[in-house]
Amino acid sequence: VSDEYHLYGETADFMSRFFGPKAGIEEDPVTGSAHCILGPYYGTKLGKSTIVGAQKSLRGGIVECQIKSDEVIRIAGAAVTTMSGNLYI
């Protein structure tokens, strides 16, 4: 873990990348679900309850993770809608 990373002019506490070739994902640009695990991991290592992750893909992005409890992680960042629809149960 480095002291800080820089991506697109933003400072981050850690950097990540996500690949899922068996699922047909060459590289996910920014993976919110992964940051729900990485945020608490690096938060514990760095002694922080709010931590910023940078995913360094071609598009890339910044995800802020707030560790609220062992079961609640709040993530925030810019998003792009790739699909919308309705789910009927």
Side-chain angles (χ1 to χ4, degrees):
V1 176
S2 176
D3 291 331
E4 61 182 36
Y5 297 94
H6 300 281
L7 182 70
Y8 309 120
E10 298 283 337
T11 299
D13 296 301
F14 68 94
M15 293 183 89
S16 64
R17 294 182 80 180
F18 179 85
F19 303 92
K22 286 188 178 183
I25 303 168
E26 288 186 35
E27 183 172 13
D28 195 336
V30 183
T31 313
S33 58
H35 283 82
C36 287
I37 300 298
L38 294 170
Y41 174 79
Y42 285 109
T44 299
K45 286 216 170 272
L46 298 174
K48 296 180 172 185
S49 61
T50 299
I51 192 159
V52 177
Q55 190 148 337
K56 192 177 178 184
S57 62
L58 184 60
R59 188 178 85 205
I62 301 291
V63 179
E64 180 182 279
C65 306
Q66 294 178 352
I67 297 98
K68 299 289 189 179
S69 70
D70 287 343
E71 297 178 2
V72 178
I73 309 302
R74 181 174 180 245
I75 61 172
V80 174
T81 302
T82 57
M83 183 185 314
S84 65
N86 297 310
L87 176 64
Y88 298 98
I89 298 177

